[in-house]
Amino acid sequence: MPSVGASLFWIALCAVVAPIVAGLVPRKLVPEVVLLLVGGMLIGPHVLGLAVDGPEIGLLSELGLGMLFLLAGYEIDTDELTGRGGRRALVTWCTCLALAFLLIGLLGLTGAISGEVAVAIALTSTALGTLLPILKDSGVVNTRVGRTVLNHGAFGELGPVVAMAVLLGSRGTVGSLIVLVMFAATAVVVGLIPDRVRRAGSRLPSIIRLGSETTAQTTVRLTILLLVSLGALAAIFEVDGILAAFAAGFILRRAVPAGDEKLEAKLEGLAFGLLIPIFFITSGMAIDVSAVAAKPGVLVAFLLLILLVRGLPVFVAERFDRGPDGTDEPPTLRQRGQVALYSATGLPLIVAVTGVAVAAGEMSPANASILVAAGAITVLVLPLAASLLGGRAPAQKATAPADRT
């Protein structure tokens, strides 16, 4: 069995090679995330056996998952979520969940599938954290399509996290709801702190600000403390750590409502430079290639279900998009198709949901591998298809803040 040091070497090598190979592909049509997954599959125990995911590497992977969702929560504009576009995205996600339960429930009656609740939740997810670097690299994030994807992606991550905590949590529905309310209340309390209190004459804020530009890096350390603290609370109250990470991102955005470019650059360097690649590589290492190859029909079925449950409702809902004031032109078929394809891209939550289901004995590792592989294929195929459908992203006109949907 490979040692921890040897495993880390191969993981680090994959993390370096992936962006180089992605850069060699014209127009960056193959996302780096996909190459990280493929690299993990190759070095993992199911193919070459060069690396294993032990407790030490697993801890780094968990931190990577946490940073992925923290940055996703930080990117969410609460004004967008409460606007017309956000309300439409919420209704759309609820429709996706209802459709997923209907279809998976019918399949469950035939005995063709197990862990119905977990599978249904996984089908409604959107990998916003995964899409963010793809959207940024392609220049789409500040376009009308990009802002709409952020709306759908926010509820495509927050909705499944809440559903997973309530329906799959070990504390029961009532206990899980109480914990969710506690997390939400924490974010609201932080947001209600007046600016004058934050800028009070106390020496502590000054020390934090001054330390952020020294070796102390106080703002980065406080962010990590926030993430780890909420993660510890999630473990105590027996809810998934993804919820804690997402809440940490929301709280950080509330604490810095105007944003902080220097802090964001440092967090992205830590996250995308070290922790997040480890998460994706280890996720690829967990995919049982032989189990996936043995049931190609099931893999195709999961892919079709993702498109039907998540992509189709988003495509239909975008027909009614008229902008924040209800006066904009409706999006074109191409734009609606782009948003639908991006919104149907899922992976991190699929990994999380299947992990919970396998640990609870409700889903076999083989079926979990197939569902994770389906999520990985969506990351490979759907953003690429959306990019080709929209043409060259930089040529699209970016919308002004007042035109966001």
Side-chain angles (χ1 to χ4, degrees):
M1 178 180 294
S3 65
V4 174
S7 298
L8 278 175
F9 166 77
W10 289 109
I11 291 172
L13 181 62
C14 289
V16 171
V17 171
I20 295 175
V21 174
L24 294 174
V25 178
R27 294 179 57 193
K28 296 185 177 180
L29 293 179
V30 179
E32 177 191 335
V33 171
V34 174
L35 297 174
L36 292 173
L37 288 168
V38 172
M41 290 173 58
L42 291 176
I43 67 173
H46 300 292
V47 181
L48 298 178
L50 299 174
V52 292
D53 184 9
E56 301 86 352
I57 297 175
L59 177 60
L60 293 175
S61 178
E62 287 292 325
L63 286 173
L65 179 62
M67 288 299 295
L68 187 69
F69 279 88
L70 181 145
L71 292 176
Y74 181 79
E75 286 285 342
I76 300 304
D77 187 343
T78 54
D79 292 334
E80 294 279 356
L81 295 185
T82 56
R84 294 170 64 95
R87 292 194 297 269
R88 185 176 60 257
L90 173 59
V91 173
T92 303
W93 182 82
C94 292
T95 303
C96 293
L97 185 64
L99 180 60
F101 276 125
L102 174 62
L103 294 178
I104 298 303
L106 293 175
L107 289 175
L109 293 176
T110 67
I113 195 170
S114 61
E116 293 92 335
V117 173
V119 173
I121 294 173
L123 294 178
T124 67
S125 65
T126 296
L128 180 58
T130 305
L131 285 172
L132 278 176
I134 297 174
L135 295 175
K136 288 180 178 179
D137 289 344
S138 60
V140 175
V141 71
N142 290 319
T143 66
R144 181 178 184 178
V145 167
R147 300 317 265 164
T148 306
V149 170
L150 289 181
N151 284 338
H152 285 290
F155 287 106
E157 287 200 331
L158 183 59
V161 166
V162 173
M164 184 167 54
V166 173
L167 300 177
L168 300 179
S170 59
R171 300 183 67 87
T173 302
V174 176
S176 298
L177 286 174
I178 292 174
V179 174
L180 290 173
V181 171
M182 291 173 58
F183 275 106
T186 302
V188 171
V189 168
V190 173
L192 292 178
I193 298 176
D195 289 340
R196 64 177 180 273
V197 174
R198 296 172 182 161
R199 298 192 298 265
S202 170
R203 290 191 59 195
L204 182 59
S206 299
I207 293 174
I208 293 174
R209 285 193 296 271
L210 291 174
S212 66
E213 300 302 323
T214 67
T215 55
Q217 295 295 323
T218 48
T219 51
V220 175
R221 295 187 189 186
L222 282 171
T223 302
I224 299 301
L225 176 62
L226 173 64
L227 175 63
V228 173
S229 298
L230 291 184
L233 285 176
I236 293 173
F237 290 107
E238 299 178 357
V239 296
D240 197 273
I242 291 177
L243 174 63
F246 212 76
F250 267 98
I251 292 172
L252 183 62
R253 171 58 74 181
R254 288 284 189 174
V256 192
D260 187 327
E261 291 185 0
K262 292 183 178 180
L263 175 60
E264 292 164 14
K266 294 171 184 177
L267 292 178
E268 288 185 354
L270 174 63
F272 293 111
L274 173 64
L275 297 174
I276 291 177
I278 292 177
F279 164 70
F280 283 117
I281 293 170
T282 54
S283 296
M285 291 166 56
I287 297 176
D288 188 342
V289 180
S290 60
V292 175
K295 296 181 178 179
V298 178
L299 176 64
V300 173
F302 276 139
L303 286 171
L304 293 176
L305 282 171
I306 291 173
L307 289 171
L308 179 62
V309 167
R310 185 61 176 151
L312 182 59
V314 170
F315 180 79
V316 173
E318 284 309 298
R319 180 181 180 183
F320 305 99
D321 179 13
R322 297 297 185 274
D325 301 322
T327 58
D328 292 353
E329 291 292 326
T332 64
L333 282 176
R334 283 176 175 267
Q335 290 174 324
R336 289 167 57 194
Q338 280 185 280
V339 174
L341 290 171
Y342 280 126
S343 298
T345 302
L347 181 64
L349 274 171
I350 294 178
V351 174
V353 173
T354 53
V356 172
V358 169
E362 298 179 359
M363 183 182 295
S364 68
N367 285 339
S369 292
I370 297 173
L371 187 52
V372 170
I377 291 175
T378 65
V379 176
L380 171 62
V381 175
L382 299 189
L384 172 59
S387 177
L388 294 174
L389 184 63
R392 294 183 178 274
Q396 294 179 345
K397 182 180 179 180
T399 58
D403 295 330
R404 291 177 180 176
T405 59

